[in-house]
Amino acid sequence: MARKKQLKLDEVKTLPNVFSSDKENAAQLISEYFNNGKGYTLELGCGNGDYTTALAAEYRDKNFIGVDRKGNRIWTGAKKSLETGLKNGAFLITAIEAIDRIFPAGSVEEIWITFPDPYPRRSSMHKRLVHPRFLELYSKILVPGGKINLKTDDDTLYNYAVDGVEENNYTLYRSTADLYSETGLTFEESIQTKYEKNHLKEGKTIKLISFSIN
Ligand SMILES: C[S@@+](CC[C@H](N)C(=O)[O-])C[C@H]1O[C@@H](n2cnc3c(N)ncnc32)[C@H](O)[C@@H]1O
């Protein structure tokens, strides 16, 4: 393993704003960290945590948590939050498959899924973060009407999410196959992640769908 990556992995779990599902009491530690009894907005598959840090800086009275299984990526967002004094932004190292074991029912207000791996093959469809098995987990932790937002450059993944919403009569708030062709984007919609910037450089169009399942 590259030395730089190993140094980040060694440090990340020592940071005061980083939690891990390794610890049985992760939920309690997270709740104690925020110490305000408010709900959470999650960024799933957060990588460097660009949504988490941008949202936490904009909405200082709300709680934001970036979730990823790769600690070395989380390190970047966690260090940035500490350096800029963002106490309302934290990070959780876990497989998203375990999310309902960490967050209590009704504790999550909104979910952002930012540029997840698209898993284009049918055989790996179950790994898509908007596959029904993940939506079921999200429904356990979301407040009623809690929004799920997916941002992606991938047509197959976007259409898969759109079809799922239609087939299941979920509530659709917004869907666009070309976000930046539109005017009047909200602050949230305009945040650009590391992967998003790369996709834009390659001339790809960005898609967004926002919906609720409960
Ligand atoms: C393509 S990257 C996007 C990173 C970031 N959201 C961005 O837009 O720059 C996808 C991220 O999702 C994480 N990821 C994918 N599946 C996951 C899972 N089941 N549990 C936890 N993290 C996952 C990966 O580790 C990776 O960091």
Side-chain angles (χ1 to χ4, degrees):
M1 191 184 295
R3 192 174 140 70
K4 223 173 168 186
K5 183 175 172 187
Q6 187 58 56
L7 285 174
K8 288 179 182 176
L9 285 172
D10 290 343
E11 188 184 9
V12 72
K13 286 189 186 174
T14 69
L15 300 176
N17 57 350
V18 176
F19 303 90
S20 168
S21 57
D22 290 355
K23 293 214 171 143
E24 241 174 62
N25 62 343
Q28 189 193 334
L29 294 173
I30 291 172
S31 160
E32 284 170 9
Y33 172 84
F34 288 105
N35 195 26
N36 58 21
K38 293 181 184 172
Y40 307 116
T41 293
L42 305 184
E43 181 189 5
L44 300 183
C46 70
N48 289 357
D50 295 308
Y51 257 75
T52 303
T53 50
L55 289 170
E58 182 73 8
Y59 302 107
R60 296 279 180 154
D61 58 339
K62 291 178 126 193
N63 302 334
F64 299 93
I65 305 179
V67 179
D68 205 293
R69 59 186 163 203
K70 293 194 175 156
N72 58 311
R73 292 193 175 169
I74 274 185
W75 180 92
T76 305
K79 288 291 268 193
K80 185 175 175 185
S81 296
L82 291 174
E83 281 157 18
T84 53
L86 287 178
K87 295 205 173 80
N88 60 325
F91 292 85
L92 173 65
I93 302 171
T94 186
I96 294 161
E97 285 82 346
I99 203 124
D100 61 324
R101 278 181 259 145
I102 311 278
F103 294 103
S107 64
V108 174
E109 292 171 349
E110 187 164 1
I111 289 176
W112 280 91
I113 307 171
T114 51
F115 298 87
D117 305 293
Y119 294 110
R121 289 193 188 160
R122 277 196 83 76
S123 58
S124 47
M125 237 174 180
H126 63 287
K127 293 184 185 167
R128 294 179 185 168
L129 294 184
V130 286
H131 185 276
R133 79 184 176 112
F134 282 106
L135 296 182
E136 201 183 319
L137 295 183
Y138 308 156
S139 75
K140 288 186 189 172
I141 59 174
L142 275 166
V143 296
K147 234 190 233 180
I148 299 172
N149 309 281
L150 167 72
K151 234 178 166 190
T152 181
D153 63 301
D154 189 86
D155 285 313
T156 305
L157 184 65
Y158 172 70
N159 290 329
Y160 177 77
V162 170
D163 290 348
V165 168
E166 267 175 28
E167 280 161 23
N168 293 288
N169 282 321
Y170 295 148
T171 305
L172 179 66
Y173 296 109
R174 168 155 171 61
S175 73
T176 170
D178 187 359
L179 182 65
Y180 295 112
S181 69
E182 302 197 2
T183 53
L185 300 189
T186 64
F187 172 79
E188 285 84 342
E189 291 169 349
S190 312
I191 298 168
Q192 292 183 356
T193 72
K194 179 182 170 183
Y195 274 72
E196 178 169 2
K197 285 179 184 152
N198 290 340
H199 295 315
L200 286 168
K201 266 188 217 151
E202 290 166 10
K204 293 189 179 165
T205 55
I206 303 303
K207 299 120 196 16
L208 169 75
I209 177 167
S210 301
F211 61 100
S212 73
I213 50 182
N214 54 356

